[in-house]
Amino acid sequence: MKKKHYLMAALCLMTVAACTQKTELPENPEDKEEYRDSQGNQWIYNAMLMRWVLMPSVANGLSTTHYYYPKTGSWTDANGSRVASPSNVKVRPSSTSSKSSGHVFGTKSRSFSVGS
């Protein structure tokens, strides 16, 4: 019986630790909000186009600006062409529970985080 209690306590601690990561892109950023991730990449949010602008730098090895659309998880380059995510920039989804609205229960939203 005690073994189950320890297992449940460990699961609860892992859940709390996962929720307190500091590498997440802000979920509700304001226009022109700047963010610097743990890898040293500089991100600027464009509220009108609902995308993050990843500025080229030595840290990420990019020679041109890339745009990241968190709603779709897609990337484009400076020309607007859809491209694969830069190999040395890690963006991984982390699921978080959203508040229920109306009669919908158990819905989940996705937020995106930048990992090292």
Side-chain angles (χ1 to χ4, degrees), residues 9-40:
L11 288 173
C12 290
L13 285 174
M14 287 190 303
T15 302
V16 169
C19 293
T20 59
Q21 289 181 340
K22 298 293 182 192
T23 58
E24 285 188 14
L25 288 172
E27 286 188 27
N28 297 313
E30 295 181 11
D31 192 31
K32 308 289 187 219
E33 181 175 337
E34 293 188 16
Y35 176 78
R36 189 167 298 274
D37 65 21
S38 61
Q39 297 171 315

